[in-house]
């Protein structure tokens, strides 16, 4: 019997990402832990989230944050190691980008930013993103505060 295709196995759930799944996925790829209340607040403030299930297992996630009109940011795009290389990350990003298109004002121009994990820039470039600095755009920057 042939193995089911990814499309048969993959389910993308919009705005159903929960704290436990978020924390488990981050742990699976070695990202730093976050406080549960901090995660709950962040998820509640997200413009959109996607939870990917593959064969009923939690496989990946991604979120959109920003002002929902001019600037959008892809955040927390994570695919559990056992599911990587199967197109799940691409499906998550494409679902988030579809949400940007659906929610943006017709005829408007929006910017979609992200901070790629080291060595993952090529993944996003295949989806149309460009690395910075480039043509009049400086490097992306970040400030992490311990409060």
């Amino acid at each position: 019997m042939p193995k089911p295709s990814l499309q048969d196995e993959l389910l993308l759930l919009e705005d159903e990402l929960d704290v436990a799944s978020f924390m488990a996925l981050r742990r699976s790829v070695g990202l730093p832990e976050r406080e549960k209340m901090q995660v709950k607040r962040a998820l509640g403030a997200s413009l959109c989230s996607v939870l990917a299930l593959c064969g009923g297992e939690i496989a990946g996630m991604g979120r959109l944050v920003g002002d929902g009109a001019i600037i959008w940011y892809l955040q927390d795009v994570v695919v559990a190691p056992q599911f990587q290389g199967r197109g799940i990350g691409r499906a998550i990003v494409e679902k988030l980008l579809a949400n940007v298109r659906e929610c943006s004002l017709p005829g408007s121009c929006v910017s979609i930013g992200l901070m790629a994990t080291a060595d993952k820039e090529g993944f996003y470039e295949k989806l149309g993103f460009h690395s910075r600095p480039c043509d009049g755009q400086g490097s992306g920057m970040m400030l992490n505060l311990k409060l």
Side-chain angles (χ1 to χ4, degrees):
M1 177 177 253
K3 184 178 179 185
S5 71
L6 179 60
Q7 287 72 28
D8 294 334
E9 294 182 63
L10 185 63
L11 181 60
L12 299 176
L13 303 175
E14 195 169 312
D15 296 327
E16 294 198 27
L17 180 58
D18 60 39
V19 172
S21 299
F22 179 94
M23 294 178 79
L25 283 162
R26 284 181 61 90
R27 242 187 333 273
S28 78
V29 296
L31 289 172
E33 290 283 329
R34 300 287 189 205
E35 296 293 325
K36 286 182 182 179
M37 288 306 296
Q38 185 183 31
V39 172
K40 183 177 180 180
R41 193 169 175 182
L43 293 177
S46 299
L47 298 172
C48 175
S49 68
V50 172
L51 176 63
L53 302 177
C54 191
E57 292 183 63
I58 295 170
M61 68 175 174
R63 299 188 304 132
L64 281 171
V65 299
D67 62 23
I70 296 172
I71 189 73
W72 305 74
Y73 290 95
L74 293 180
Q75 192 67 42
D76 301 312
V77 176
V78 174
V79 176
Q82 68 270 30
F83 294 103
Q84 291 178 5
R86 299 181 59 193
I88 295 170
R90 173 181 281 276
I92 291 168
V93 172
E94 287 174 347
K95 177 82 168 165
L96 292 170
L97 294 177
N99 185 277
V100 171
R101 288 183 190 92
E102 291 167 15
C103 295
S104 294
L105 296 171
S108 64
C109 182
V110 302
S111 295
I112 305 165
L114 62 90
M115 298 290 291
T117 302
D119 300 323
K120 297 295 183 189
E121 294 88 352
F123 167 79
Y124 293 103
E125 287 170 350
K126 290 177 190 173
L127 293 165
F129 290 85
H130 62 269
S131 294
R132 293 178 65 169
C134 67
D135 299 331
Q137 294 181 330
S139 298
M141 300 178 80
M142 179 178 277
L143 171 64
N144 291 315
L145 295 175
K146 175 71 174 164
L147 305 173

